[in-house]
Amino acid sequence: MTTSATHCPHSFEFQAATRLVVGSGSLARVGDLARGLGGTRVLLVSDPGLVATGFPARAEELLASAGLACHLFQEFGENPSTAHVAAGLEAAQECRPDLIVALGGGSSMDCAKGINFVYSFGGSMHDYHGRERVGRERGPMLPSIAVPTTAGTGSETQSFALISDAETGAKMACGDPRAAFRVAILDVELTLTQPDRVTALTGIDAVSHAVESFVSRAATPASRLFAREAWRLLATNLPRVFANGRDVEARSAVQLGAAWAGVAIENAMLGGAHAMANPLTQLHGIPHGQAVGLVLPHVVRFNAPQCEDDYADLCRDLPTMAAIPGSVRLADWLQYLLRQAGMSASLADLGLADADTAALAAIATQQWTGSFNPRPFSATDFETLYEASR
Ligand SMILES: [Fe+2]
């Protein structure tokens, strides 16, 4: 299979839904940008872990000084669930916002999108599992602004909310172009206070987004532009950030790379590493970035027969190494990056040497994201890759 034939469909669409406002100190513009979207009453959705940074208080001040009323909602955790969204809906029904601002990492942005779904269209989060479950005649959702404080999920530039079922822990991807943020403010100063562990988890996640979307079965010429540039920015700058978290130039590049990867996901979806990561989170509580980082090198090796040219292309941004196939080199480098980030490279490292790989594989086969992997998976393939990750 040639990559050019695979990845250049004759017809596709591309529309960037989110206006990006990029620059150090750009949080200061949140009030004007909120007013520009017609906002008068804001529901500010911000992770409680951020209170100590002072960023939510600063955003409230800026919104207030622009003449907007602001209600802060913080009752949610690291993996926002259907219960958290229901609590957010109650908060929204009290303050009747005409604009939502999400300030924080992926959990804040996903929770804000989830609240927007149920506040704008009613029902429960389950009604939105999948893509575009609501007819166009229902009109728009509330306008919203993202202010990411991590660089990883790409939630700021794509229209999916990842919400866990509060009962089962299963992750639901709920997407609609109307859920995309109208504006994303990329202010590098907000990313400098992240704990190293958060930088590592989110950075590895962003890399996985670039690698998986670049070779996705749904990739388009547009998505590949964004995935390729996301990869270049991340592969060349993440090692600098892991070595020195105060490297503002590298942090800025990583922040932009994560956002470009979000655009790529929006247009191309992901692949097998995300299908394998979700069961590790669901059954064993492994954080998403750790789970996806652990399995990605194995998925790259599995995909090699279909993706050798593309993987060799990605390797052009890596330090020169011996003339070995792109897939081998890429997989080796991804494992090196994982170790540099201080993360575990095997299930045994995570205390899961005895994990039930058949149970994990059974859930992985149910993951929609796996259907976009360039090489189709059987349940046996998933189990073999979990075994290889042991
Ligand atoms: Fe991810």
Side-chain angles (χ1 to χ4, degrees):
M1 182 185 300
T2 64
T3 52
S4 58
T6 306
H7 295 301
C8 293
H10 293 295
S11 58
F12 70 98
E13 291 185 22
F14 175 74
Q15 179 175 5
T18 304
R19 171 185 175 191
L20 289 187
V21 176
V22 183
S24 185
S26 52
L27 174 63
R29 294 182 56 191
V30 69
D32 284 345
L33 290 164
R35 276 204 317 201
L37 290 173
T40 59
R41 293 182 309 284
V42 175
L43 182 70
L44 176 62
V45 179
S46 186
D47 182 328
L50 281 177
V51 172
T53 66
F55 299 146
R58 171 91 176 117
E60 283 185 286
E61 277 172 25
L62 289 163
L63 290 164
S65 63
L68 289 95
C70 188
H71 180 94
L72 180 62
F73 173 69
Q74 300 196 288
E75 284 74 49
F76 61 97
E78 203 172 300
N79 288 308
S81 72
T82 47
H84 297 137
V85 169
L89 174 63
E90 272 185 39
Q93 285 167 336
E94 255 172 52
C95 71
R96 312 294 302 170
D98 48 22
L99 179 79
I100 296 177
V101 175
L103 172 76
S107 55
S108 298
M109 292 185 278
D110 284 354
C111 194
K113 282 183 209 166
I115 294 167
N116 201 350
F117 270 110
V118 292
Y119 184 66
S120 296
F121 294 140
S124 78
M125 215 53 236
H126 293 89
D127 299 328
Y128 306 101
H129 187 185
R131 188 163 209 176
E132 290 194 63
R133 297 282 306 277
V134 178
R136 291 270 130 193
E137 73 283 358
R138 298 284 300 278
M141 293 166 68
L142 282 193
S144 56
I145 296 176
V147 190
T149 60
T150 64
T153 70
S155 187
E156 64 274 21
T157 44
Q158 44 99 349
S159 65
F160 281 81
L162 273 185
I163 305 292
S164 301
D165 183 302
E167 306 283 310
T168 66
K171 284 203 174 202
M172 298 186 291
C174 307
D176 191 300
R178 291 166 286 188
F181 294 103
R182 297 277 289 277
V183 176
I185 298 173
L186 303 188
D187 181 347
V188 70
E189 289 176 23
L190 305 189
T191 70
L192 300 177
T193 55
Q194 291 176 84
D196 290 347
R197 176 86 179 144
V198 174
T199 297
L201 290 169
T202 53
I204 294 291
D205 188 26
V207 165
S208 75
H209 295 163
V211 172
E212 292 224 280
S213 61
F214 189 56
V215 298
S216 160
R217 295 170 72 86
T220 70
S223 73
R224 279 169 59 84
L225 281 178
F226 286 97
R228 185 66 185 82
E229 177 62 0
W231 164 261
R232 187 188 70 79
L233 289 167
L234 294 164
T236 55
N237 289 283
L238 259 182
R240 286 172 58 184
V241 168
F242 291 157
N244 172 17
R246 305 297 299 178
D247 185 333
V248 176
E249 186 184 74
R251 282 266 195 204
S252 297
V254 167
Q255 186 181 42
L256 189 58
W260 287 159
V263 178
I265 296 173
E266 178 71 9
N267 290 276
M269 308 304 292
L270 289 161
H274 278 75
M276 290 185 67
N278 291 346
L280 288 168
T281 303
Q282 183 179 335
L283 295 186
H284 300 290
I286 307 300
H288 176 69
Q290 167 66 79
V292 80
L294 191 160
V295 297
L296 181 62
H298 301 286
V299 171
V300 165
R301 291 190 182 102
F302 175 80
N303 287 343
Q306 265 79 12
C307 304
E308 201 54 64
D309 291 351
D310 281 338
Y311 289 160
D313 178 21
L314 296 183
C315 287
R316 287 163 52 203
D317 291 317
L318 300 180
T320 306
M321 289 168 66
I324 53 176
S327 54
V328 174
R329 193 171 153 202
L330 181 61
D332 286 352
W333 189 82
L334 290 168
Q335 267 170 334
Y336 154 79
L337 188 68
L338 199 63
R339 285 193 296 273
Q340 203 198 16
M343 288 160 65
S344 302
S346 70
L347 291 173
D349 283 352
L350 292 167
L352 296 175
D354 299 325
D356 183 346
T357 53
L360 289 165
I363 300 176
T365 55
Q366 311 286 319
Q367 304 291 310
W368 182 45
T369 183
S371 67
F372 299 98
N373 197 69
R375 181 177 169 190
F377 279 101
S378 66
T380 308
D381 292 329
F382 278 125
E383 197 170 345
T384 302
L385 293 191
Y386 282 122
E387 290 295 334
S389 311
R390 219 187 261 285

